[in-house]
């Protein structure tokens, strides 16, 4: 991957990572629940999870998964259940002030979440088909490069959502306002289950 291709891919990765979706809803809610410092594992896990997914997708894992209907249905069911569980967790998160032991979505949960995220799979499959070259040697190095670059672009995008969540929490001083915000975020995340079944 030359410099021009790397810059084009970084732009693609940042735009894909910063646009609204289940991951960013999760990161936003984590920032609102526990603040920026305690929530930093969430965008870090999400960005590294996507980086690994992009590498494996480029090696053909994505095509294998997409070609096996039973695996696709199982992933959709697991993803739907996880999104609904996460929505419930967000709805009951509390606020930074009211709940000093706020429930953050940590590194491991955010990392694993990418494998159940429909937007993540679409991004991973389109990245490989758009930016990889055909030769095997170039494909291997290109896949690794894409994974590293995607994680590097996705972390600042996720961090923006985390900071936004922490700023929103500063505005939501009352427990009633915080509860309304948490329920709205949980509802948005629950609605994203429809994306899984499109």
């Amino acid at each position: 991957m030359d410099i021009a291709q790397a810059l084009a891919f970084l732009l693609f990765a940042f735009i894909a990572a910063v646009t609204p979706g289940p991951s960013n809803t999760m990161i936003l809610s984590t920032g609102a629940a526990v603040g920026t410092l305690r929530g930093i594992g969430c965008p870090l896990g999400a960005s590294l999870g996507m980086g690994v997914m992009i590498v494996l997708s480029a090696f053909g894992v994505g095509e294998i998964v997409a070609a096996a209907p039973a695996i696709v249905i199982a992933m959709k069911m697991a993803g739907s259940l996880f999104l609904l569980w996460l929505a419930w967790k967000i709805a009951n998160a509390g606020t930074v002030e009211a709940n000093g032991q706020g429930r953050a979505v940590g590194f491991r949960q955010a990392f694993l979440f990418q494998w159940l995220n429909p937007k993540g799979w679409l991004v991973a499959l389109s990245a490989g088909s758009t930016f990889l070259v055909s030769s095997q040697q170039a494909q291997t190095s290109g896949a690794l490069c894409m994974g590293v670059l995607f994680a590097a672009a996705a972390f600042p995008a996720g961090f923006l959502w985390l900071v936004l969540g922490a700023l929103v929490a500063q505005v939501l001083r009352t427990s009633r306002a915080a509860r309304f915000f948490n329920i709205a975020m949980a509802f948005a995340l629950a609605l994203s289950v429809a994306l899984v079944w499109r």
Side-chain angles (χ1 to χ4, degrees):
M1 193 178 274
D2 61 28
I3 292 176
Q5 289 173 319
L7 290 174
F9 184 76
L10 277 171
L11 181 62
F12 161 81
F14 184 80
I15 291 170
V18 83
T19 53
S23 284
N24 289 331
T25 302
M26 172 182 67
I27 294 169
L28 177 75
S29 299
T30 296
V34 299
T36 305
L37 290 177
R38 286 191 55 213
I40 197 72
C42 189
L44 185 60
S47 59
L48 289 178
M50 272 305 300
V52 171
M53 182 189 290
I54 290 221
V55 171
L56 294 179
S57 220
F59 284 126
V61 173
E63 285 85 5
I64 291 170
V65 168
I71 293 175
V72 172
I73 289 171
M75 287 181 66
K76 284 182 176 185
M77 290 175 66
S80 298
L81 290 172
F82 185 79
L83 286 171
L84 292 173
W85 171 80
L86 193 57
W88 175 83
K89 186 174 178 178
I90 288 168
N92 295 288
T95 65
V96 176
E97 292 82 8
N99 184 5
Q101 302 299 316
R103 300 175 186 171
V105 175
F107 176 89
R108 184 171 53 92
Q109 289 171 312
F111 182 91
L112 295 174
F113 172 71
Q114 299 313 311
W115 300 89
L116 303 174
N117 180 0
K119 179 186 170 189
W121 278 106
L122 289 172
V123 169
L125 291 171
S126 64
S129 62
T130 305
F131 291 95
L132 271 184
V133 294
S134 57
S135 78
Q136 186 61 41
Q137 185 176 4
Q139 187 174 12
T140 301
S141 60
L144 295 172
C145 184
M146 281 179 13
V148 170
L149 289 174
F150 196 95
F155 177 72
F159 187 74
L160 289 174
W161 283 94
L162 185 71
V163 170
L164 180 61
L167 292 173
V168 166
Q170 298 306 313
V171 175
L172 304 174
R173 294 289 183 182
T174 67
S175 59
R176 183 175 179 175
R179 180 82 175 147
F180 177 80
F181 172 78
N182 290 340
I183 289 173
M185 290 297 97
F187 183 70
L189 194 57
L191 278 180
S192 71
V193 170
L195 295 173
V196 175
W197 296 97
R198 277 199 320 181

